[in-house]
Amino acid sequence: MLNFTVGPVMSPSEVLEVSAKSAPYFRTPEFSQVMLENERIMLGLLSAPKDSRCVFLTASGTGAMEAAVMSVLAPAERVAVVNGGSFGQRFVDLCQLHGHPVDEIKLEFGHQITRKNLEDAVDLSCGALLVNMHETSSGLLYDMSLLSGFCRERGMALIVDAVSAFIAEEIDMTSLGADVVLTGSQKALSCHPGISLMALSPRAQKRVADNPELCSYLSLKEALRNGERGQTPWTPAVTTLFEINSRLKAIEDRGIDAERTEIAGRAEAVRSALENTTLQMVPEKPSNAVTALRCPARNAKAIIERAKTAYGMWLCPNGGSLADEVFRIGHIGAITAEDNRKLIDALGAMSAEGLF
Ligand SMILES: *Cc1c(COP(=O)(O)O)cnc(C)c1O
């Protein structure tokens, strides 16, 4: 099967070589070196400000989202959340679960955020803004310079879920003034699931230090303290961390811009192949990572099923009320030029069959 979902995605050979080995014992200086190298490379790739730190949690991306809510937000701190789809809703739910008054910036699915949306929704007393840089459910890439400028003006912390944006989009933590950037192992990093990665600015670390402890397993105080010597408080997904190491080194050697250009090129080729079909782009501003498509015939499930059974390809369904109307095609992971050509051929064949 060829996997064109948004994660887990196909892994490159440098990752698969690592995953075939037994997990070594990890309370060793050798493992610490690997972890310190992971931290160094991640902070470099994110252009993190001086004295930032990166921690590695054994959890999916949602675990890092919840850890940020529990450890970076002050108790009962009022927050603003950009909600343009299911991942925005997840931040709203997590903040509310943990007792934060939420000013929700509710957007129409696939629509870009505006200055007016922010001014209308966000109270002056909000201390932080949480956003999924790329709302993976709609494929929309938010206007990060707008959000960054707004947070600077108001002195708000900026917490960025970049789970599906890391590598696929340019992220400069310093110029964004972002305090937290979090991502996961199974999206464009193209490793197995299991690890979420979180970069914290000095200001975010100070928040963590000042806040009370609400959770032991996902404690960022503990993660930061143990991370100083390249360790984690608990047994981590050791093999995934080794995969991340080999992948980060490969990205560093090649240049993250080259990775991004390749992802964008694949997205562009698929989008132009679909131009003369009945499928419509969902987002006003599409990300490189995924193409979300609306099917006027409301046959999204049939398209996904046909791609799977006739062409050996996984496309990505949407959940809930959009399950019939919208599906997505992912462009991240170890997709070769040949794979992308096969995808475009299969889409052409499905269109000729009358599916769209
Ligand atoms: C995939 C994703 C997540 C994390 O999902 P998990 O299933 O918990 O790994 C979080 N945010 C965004 C924007 C995502 O695309």
Side-chain angles (χ1 to χ4, degrees), residues 6 60-63 65 87 90 132-136 161-164 182 186-187:
V6 279
S60 80
T62 307
M65 292 167 76
F87 291 98
R90 193 171 300 181
N132 320 96
M133 177 166 171
H134 165 224
E135 171 49 71
T136 320
D161 162 3
V163 176
S164 60
L182 59 94
Q186 82 276 24
K187 302 262 167 105

Side-chain angles (χ1 to χ4, degrees), residues 59-341:
S60 80
T62 307
M65 292 167 76
E66 187 158 17
V69 168
M70 288 189 295
S71 290
V72 179
L73 302 181
E77 181 174 12
R78 188 179 193 97
V79 295
V81 178
V82 180
N83 183 0
S86 56
F87 291 98
Q89 186 63 47
R90 193 171 300 181
F91 258 150
V92 170
D93 294 344
L94 287 167
C95 289
Q96 286 175 344
L97 175 69
H98 292 284
H100 297 277
V102 176
D103 285 349
E104 191 176 339
I105 307 147
K106 186 98 176 126
L107 302 169
E108 223 178 299
F109 192 66
H111 283 243
Q112 185 58 279
I113 192 163
T114 64
R115 174 87 201 179
K116 183 163 188 319
N117 295 144
L118 290 167
E119 280 167 1
D120 288 350
V122 182
D123 192 85
L124 283 168
S125 65
C126 277
L129 182 139
L130 296 90
V131 63
N132 320 96
M133 177 166 171
H134 165 224
E135 171 49 71
T136 320
S137 64
S138 70
L140 183 97
L141 182 67
Y142 286 118
D143 180 346
M144 290 305 293
S145 74
L146 171 73
L147 294 167
S148 153
F150 184 77
C151 287
R152 273 212 177 90
E153 276 169 39
R154 297 255 184 125
M156 293 163 73
L158 174 59
I159 298 178
V160 181
D161 162 3
V163 176
S164 60
F166 178 57
I167 303 172
E169 306 294 341
E170 195 170 353
I171 305 176
D172 183 322
M173 221 175 138
T174 305
S175 69
L176 282 177
D179 294 287
V180 174
V181 173
L182 59 94
T183 187
S185 53
Q186 82 276 24
K187 302 262 167 105
L189 259 178
S190 314
C191 298
H192 287 95
I195 293 289
S196 59
L197 308 85
M198 193 188 308
L200 297 126
S201 71
R203 195 167 73 156
Q205 293 166 51
K206 166 121 188 12
R207 279 174 158 263
V208 171
D210 292 347
N211 285 334
E213 200 69 291
L214 298 181
C215 175
S216 174
Y217 184 72
L218 290 174
S219 161
L220 295 184
K221 276 196 226 287
E222 286 300 318
L224 285 163
R225 195 173 61 79
N226 284 266
E228 281 170 20
R229 58 188 171 101
Q231 285 287 325
T232 54
W234 334 108
T235 305
V238 174
T239 305
T240 308
L241 287 164
F242 275 105
E243 293 175 4
I244 288 171
N245 186 251
S246 98
R247 180 79 171 112
L248 287 178
K249 286 193 287 197
I251 295 169
E252 194 181 38
D253 285 348
R254 187 180 178 207
I256 194 166
D257 294 351
E259 290 267 335
R260 185 176 69 249
T261 304
E262 199 177 293
I263 296 168
R266 290 199 290 262
E268 185 48 45
V270 170
R271 286 166 196 172
S272 66
L274 291 172
E275 253 164 28
N276 295 317
T277 69
T278 59
L279 297 176
Q280 301 152 357
M281 286 292 287
V282 170
E284 284 182 350
K285 165 78 177 143
S287 74
N288 294 322
V290 62
T291 300
L293 297 153
R294 187 170 272 121
C295 327
R298 300 184 62 85
N299 61 344
K301 285 179 192 154
I303 294 167
I304 290 167
E305 187 57 24
R306 183 77 183 145
K308 180 177 170 183
T309 53
Y311 301 100
M313 293 174 188
W314 279 308
L315 306 181
C316 201
N318 271 60
S321 59
L322 291 170
D324 293 313
E325 208 183 323
V326 177
F327 75 96
R328 292 166 297 163
I329 301 173
H331 309 296
I332 53 178
I335 301 168
T336 65
E338 170 72 14
D339 296 338
N340 219 43
R341 214 167 308 119

Side-chain angles (χ1 to χ4, degrees), residues 7-49:
V9 298
M10 297 187 285
S11 298
S13 57
E14 72 264 18
V15 166
L16 296 175
E17 276 161 30
V18 171
S19 56
K21 296 188 186 122
S22 295
Y25 182 62
F26 71 102
R27 297 289 186 205
T28 61
E30 291 78 10
F31 183 73
S32 293
Q33 281 313 307
V34 168
M35 291 298 284
L36 292 170
E37 187 174 43
N38 284 349
E39 179 172 20
R40 176 187 65 74
I41 299 176
M42 272 305 291
L43 293 174
L45 294 178
L46 290 170
S47 306

